[in-house]
Amino acid sequence: MILYRIGELAKAANISERTIDYYTKLGLIVPESRSMKNYRLYNHETLIALERINQLKQEKYTLVEIKSMMNKWNSATPETDVSDKLALLELQMQRLEREVKALEPMISGLKPVQAKRALAALIPQGVACMEAIRLLLTQGPPM
């Protein structure tokens, strides 16, 4: 098992040591053990968790929300895991809906040809995404 000291973990995750200290104090990450010289040692799963935290921060989640999600993910059974992921998908869809509504004034200001071109690429992708979600929700578990 690979164990990282704080500096090594910071370098691997491309974040500061101070950020790792802060996340540790918040309980977002937990050291695996301590070295003989009392250095905190983190495992590879911590590196994956840091990548997930960074991704969620880019999606504009707060650290409190991220901690809550990570606690759910870490304690989830397969059934609750699926439920939580579907709930997260619903939140993302609501966020996208808000963003689309914010774009409506700009889209209505475009000329019809410009609007058609702008929406032409999105509509097939959106329909495909909605169809995939519909199939997922209507399809029962495999027998």
Side-chain angles (χ1 to χ4, degrees):
M1 176 185 346
I2 298 172
L3 294 176
Y4 301 91
R5 290 194 322 214
I6 191 167
E8 297 165 333
L9 183 64
K11 186 175 181 179
N14 200 27
I15 59 175
S16 71
E17 292 179 23
R18 188 172 179 193
T19 299
I20 291 174
D21 280 335
Y22 186 61
Y23 289 172
T24 302
K25 286 176 185 165
L26 289 178
L28 285 169
I29 58 174
V30 179
E32 177 74 20
S33 61
R34 293 219 175 234
S35 71
M36 296 293 282
K37 293 185 178 183
N38 208 27
Y39 292 121
R40 287 173 285 173
L41 300 173
Y42 297 88
N43 60 24
H44 185 70
E45 286 76 27
T46 305
L47 181 58
I48 294 167
L50 289 170
E51 290 169 357
R52 183 178 292 164
I53 291 166
N54 284 334
Q55 179 184 14
L56 291 170
K57 280 177 56 181
Q58 289 177 0
E59 294 175 11
K60 306 296 186 214
Y61 288 99
T62 67
L63 290 177
V64 172
E65 292 169 325
I66 292 171
K67 183 177 180 181
S68 175
M69 281 187 261
M70 291 183 73
N71 286 339
K72 286 179 185 176
W73 289 333
N74 291 335
S75 65
T77 63
E79 183 179 312
T80 57
D81 191 34
V82 169
S83 297
D84 289 345
K85 288 184 181 186
L86 288 173
L88 182 60
L89 180 61
E90 183 179 357
L91 287 173
Q92 290 173 337
M93 289 170 39
Q94 289 171 358
R95 187 193 59 165
L96 287 172
E97 187 177 336
R98 285 191 307 268
E99 289 179 18
V100 167
K101 285 183 181 181
L103 283 173
E104 283 177 3
M106 288 183 268
I107 292 171
S108 64
L110 294 175
K111 294 177 184 175
V113 173
Q114 292 171 319
K116 185 176 180 180
R117 245 183 299 162
L119 297 175
L122 293 177
I123 291 173
Q125 292 172 347
V127 170
C129 183
M130 288 186 290
E131 182 65 16
I133 292 169
R134 185 190 66 76
L135 285 173
L136 176 68
L137 295 176
T138 58
Q139 194 176 49
M143 297 287 182

